[in-house]
């Protein structure tokens, strides 16, 4: 039911962990299944220079967050905000219908980390 790409990111997830003193942290929960995803970003000059994630959830959620972190690393904040769950699914070579919400979780966690960064950044300056 899963593509090779999904299995690869599930078995060998990229960018797993936490960033100490992250510039933005996003945490979202999925109401449908109770899974939780946390994304940490480090930002320099409006560019995401580092990103890590922790996901307590299913294989598709782990694969989605793994591929999403790869997609946003090195991107500007605006470029990262343009990433949608559809793009995450495409990057994974597809997801089963019942697992679409797992990719939505990745998009939401990403946005929430960026919102958090923007909030912190405004307070500092
Ligand atoms: Fe089973 Fe998310 S519903 S791991
Ligand atoms: Fe809930 Fe995947 S995130 S089943």
């Amino acid at each position: 039911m899963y593509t090779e790409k999904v299995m690869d990111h599930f078995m060998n997830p990229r960018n797993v962990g936490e960033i100490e003193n992250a510039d933005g942290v996003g945490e979202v929960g999925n109401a449908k299944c109770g899974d939780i995803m946390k994304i940490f970003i480090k930002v320099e000059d409006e560019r995401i220079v580092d990103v890590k994630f922790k996901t307590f959830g299913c294989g598709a959620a782990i694969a989605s967050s793994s591929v999403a972190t790869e997609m946003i690393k090195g991107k500007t904040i605006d470029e990262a905000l343009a990433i949608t769950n559809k793009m995450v699914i495409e990057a994974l070579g597809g997801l089963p219908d019942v697992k679409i919400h797992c990719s939505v979780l990745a998009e939401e966690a990403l946005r929430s980390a960026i919102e958090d960064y923007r909030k912190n950044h405004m307070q500092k300056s």
Side-chain angles (χ1 to χ4, degrees):
M1 98 177 205
Y2 287 125
T3 65
E4 249 172 65
K5 202 93 204 249
V6 173
M7 287 313 289
D8 176 37
H9 277 273
F10 171 53
M11 305 296 263
N12 310 291
R14 328 295 199 266
N15 306 310
V16 176
E18 290 184 30
I19 297 177
E20 255 182 76
N21 306 316
D23 296 307
V25 181
E27 183 173 348
V28 292
N30 199 312
K32 261 192 197 159
C33 64
D35 293 352
I36 295 169
M37 194 182 284
K38 215 167 170 180
I39 289 188
F40 305 77
I41 54 172
K42 195 88 200 152
V43 183
E44 271 166 33
D45 297 330
E46 287 290 291
R47 196 172 284 277
I48 297 172
V49 292
D50 199 12
V51 49
K52 293 253 189 293
F53 82 91
K54 273 192 161 174
T55 293
F56 303 92
C58 69
I62 290 166
S64 296
S65 28
S66 169
V67 87
T69 59
E70 274 197 333
M71 288 163 80
I72 66 161
K73 207 169 192 174
K75 293 251 166 42
T76 65
I77 291 288
D78 285 340
E79 286 166 344
L81 275 174
I83 288 169
T84 62
N85 81 298
K86 275 215 178 81
M87 291 157 82
V88 170
I89 295 172
E90 264 164 39
L92 288 171
L95 275 180
D97 280 355
V98 292
K99 293 289 174 183
I100 299 297
H101 77 267
C102 318
S103 65
V104 173
L105 198 59
E107 181 190 317
E108 286 174 356
L110 183 59
R111 281 174 204 277
S112 139
I114 291 172
E115 268 166 35
D116 186 51
Y117 157 70
R118 290 208 157 141
K119 210 175 61 203
N120 297 337
H121 193 74
M122 280 195 340
Q123 275 165 0
K124 267 182 236 157
S125 54

